[in-house]
Amino acid sequence: MNQDPLQTPSPLAVIRWGAFFALAYAIQGFSQTATLFYQPINFYYKTAHHYDAGDLARVMFLLGIPWYLKPVYGLLSDFVPLFGTRRKSYLMLLSLLSTLAFGFLLGVSDPYVMFLLLMLTTVGTAMSDVMVDGLMVEQGQKSGRIKLYQGLQWVAIYATSIGAAYAGGAVSQGAENVGEPIRAIQWAAMLAIGGPAVLFVLTWWMVDEPKSRLDVRGFRETLRGINRAARSRPLWLAALFLCCFWFQPGMNAPMYVYATGEALNISEAFWGKAAAMGTFGYLLGAVIFLVGLGPYLSIKKLALIGVTLYSAATLGYLFLMGPKTLVVLGLLLATANAIANLMLLSLAAQVCPKRVEAFVFAALMSLMNLSRYGSEWIGGRLYAGILDEHIQPLIVISAVVTMLTGLLIPLLPGAPPASAPPTD
């Protein structure tokens, strides 16, 4: 894959871009339907409209549709500049859309209108995520700071997700106390509305993007970028590694059934607390990657560490004996998960061709998500089927499949060009 020579940015430029990426992801981590609104949405529809578990799952699945379409948003911004830019104008417009949708949520009581407004906020968040990632890939490739920017993003999103989860629980409890379920979503909207408004200002102030226009030359350059992507051996090998890494038989649902069933009799309340405490492992893993691993190691070495840590953390569940070990193992697995995830994201960003950064990165993220969801389905089927609800064989199978992914590491692309800054 052809790469432009790396540019050496000024320290102020690195700080500016790093701060922007961290703040943008912090806002995203706090105000989306999967974090702040997750419990209020479930509480409202369950309490006010008597939705059962299947109905609630359908609501969350439908609200997730905008995230499944990320490659479409990337292709749009890569091909069709808006008001002279490929990312900045889109990001400002989407921030305005989300702000307005959150504002309307404050006074809506009809459940269907509320759902449509929540869908608009999800569209705004998902498309904004693609635009921010497009900028991150462009700036990271130019300066050699991909791992730095990725680390800052995910430290920020993991940190604010913790706060969002607790805030979502607090507004749901408050709505239950006053006997008005709708207040849970309205109060969550009050907390969320400032996020996209701040992102609008930050984008206008901090994002310096070259002008671009929709013309024959730009169209041809984007088509050439797609052609380079289709013929890029490093890109296809990276895509294969991304898919294989997360396609181990998933253990989330089987472990939940096992731990809260007769085997361990862990209560639902404690399971929820353990999951919340495990979130700190994601933050710890992101910090370790940002400070101790990413600045010093190549993608291949990071991949080896990711495979080793995640396999070992998975095997650790063979020693699950009760509540205390559940918390410890959850923290270890979350830490390994975050390190592995940031390694995969850095790999994906490194192999994106010019002019189609947003489209290719979004497509790789969609492949990775598809592999994760598919692995969970396979793990659940194995556990309930041929494994006859025995968790230990599933743990071993999952760990071994992850280890086998290590065979693909020699095929991964090497380090960025030698002119890359040595510390990032």
Side-chain angles (χ1 to χ4, degrees):
M1 180 179 65
N2 296 326
Q3 295 276 6
D4 294 337
L6 290 178
Q7 304 170 5
T8 302
S10 68
L12 286 178
V14 173
I15 293 172
R16 187 186 83 243
W17 281 114
F20 174 76
F21 295 138
L23 290 169
Y25 258 54
I27 291 168
Q28 176 187 317
F30 184 81
S31 58
Q32 61 177 289
T33 53
T35 54
L36 175 63
F37 283 87
Y38 185 82
Q39 190 168 344
I41 289 171
N42 283 308
F43 172 75
Y44 167 71
Y45 283 102
K46 179 189 71 172
T47 306
H49 300 284
H50 309 292
Y51 279 21
D52 61 19
D55 295 327
L56 295 175
R58 184 178 70 252
V59 169
M60 298 310 298
F61 174 80
L62 292 174
L63 287 175
I65 288 176
W67 289 98
Y68 314 147
L69 302 176
K70 287 177 65 174
V72 177
Y73 316 144
L75 198 61
L76 176 65
S77 76
D78 286 334
F79 264 104
V80 186
L82 181 66
F83 303 128
T85 61
R86 294 195 298 149
R87 318 286 186 223
K88 182 174 182 176
S89 297
Y90 279 108
L91 195 51
M92 293 177 69
L93 183 63
L94 292 164
S95 299
L96 182 61
L97 171 68
S98 295
T99 303
L100 291 174
F102 284 132
F104 283 119
L105 273 172
L106 298 177
V108 169
S109 57
D110 183 274
Y112 299 103
V113 176
M114 181 172 288
F115 177 84
L116 290 176
L117 289 172
L118 287 169
M119 180 66 78
L120 282 177
T121 68
T122 308
V123 170
T125 304
M127 290 190 70
S128 296
D129 178 71
V130 172
M131 304 308 153
V132 172
D133 282 342
L135 287 168
M136 180 276 300
V137 173
E138 291 172 1
Q139 296 302 318
Q141 287 186 345
K142 286 179 182 178
S143 63
R145 258 75 177 193
I146 285 176
K147 288 180 284 186
L148 171 66
Y149 293 153
Q150 286 279 9
L152 289 171
Q153 284 180 331
W154 286 87
V155 166
I157 198 171
Y158 286 142
T160 54
S161 294
I162 296 171
Y166 282 107
V171 297
S172 298
Q173 183 64 56
E176 184 177 30
N177 291 342
V178 300
E180 298 181 44
I182 197 171
R183 294 294 185 187
I185 292 179
Q186 292 175 342
W187 289 341
M190 289 180 64
L191 295 174
I193 193 170
V198 171
L199 183 58
F200 179 92
V201 175
L202 290 174
T203 304
W204 170 76
W205 179 44
M206 300 180 72
V207 174
D208 182 17
E209 187 181 12
K211 291 294 182 180
S212 182
R213 61 180 181 176
L214 181 60
D215 55 18
V216 174
R217 179 181 178 183
F219 190 81
R220 287 177 178 172
E221 288 179 357
T222 303
L223 284 177
R224 282 196 288 269
I226 292 178
N227 185 48
R228 286 196 299 271
R231 295 185 292 106
S232 172
R233 183 172 180 269
L235 174 59
W236 286 106
L237 289 174
L240 176 64
F241 185 79
L242 293 176
C243 290
C244 290
F245 186 93
W246 286 127
F247 206 70
Q248 79 278 38
M251 299 195 304
N252 286 337
M255 189 59 66
Y256 166 75
V257 173
Y258 174 80
T260 58
E262 295 182 359
L264 295 180
N265 286 315
I266 291 175
S267 69
E268 295 284 343
F270 189 86
W271 175 269
K273 290 179 181 178
M277 287 185 280
T279 306
F280 287 94
Y282 290 106
L283 179 58
L284 176 61
V287 171
I288 291 173
F289 181 92
L290 175 63
V291 177
L293 298 177
Y296 309 108
L297 301 178
S298 68
I299 287 292
K300 289 185 177 181
K301 290 180 180 178
L302 288 170
L304 180 60
I305 291 173
V307 168
T308 303
L309 288 179
Y310 201 76
S311 301
T314 301
L315 286 173
Y317 276 86
L318 291 172
F319 302 97
L320 177 61
M321 295 178 290
K324 292 182 180 179
T325 52
L326 178 66
V327 171
V328 172
L329 292 171
L331 282 168
L332 292 175
L333 187 65
T335 302
N337 187 307
I339 293 171
N341 189 49
L342 281 165
M343 172 272 297
L344 294 170
L345 292 171
S346 298
L347 170 62
Q350 181 177 309
V351 298
C352 289
K354 303 295 182 184
R355 291 289 303 187
V356 287
E357 297 93 346
F359 167 65
V360 173
F361 191 81
L364 290 172
M365 294 304 97
S366 295
L367 280 174
M368 195 163 70
N369 289 331
L370 181 62
S371 294
R372 297 182 84 156
Y373 291 130
S375 75
E376 290 298 327
W377 179 78
I378 290 175
R381 297 281 292 183
L382 283 173
Y383 178 74
I386 61 175
L387 297 181
D388 194 25
E389 298 190 353
H390 289 88
I391 196 69
Q392 287 77 15
L394 181 62
I395 293 170
V396 174
I397 292 171
S398 184
V400 169
V401 172
T402 302
M403 291 177 192
L404 291 175
T405 310
L407 297 175
L408 298 174
I409 293 176
L411 302 178
L412 294 179
S419 54
T423 58
D424 291 329

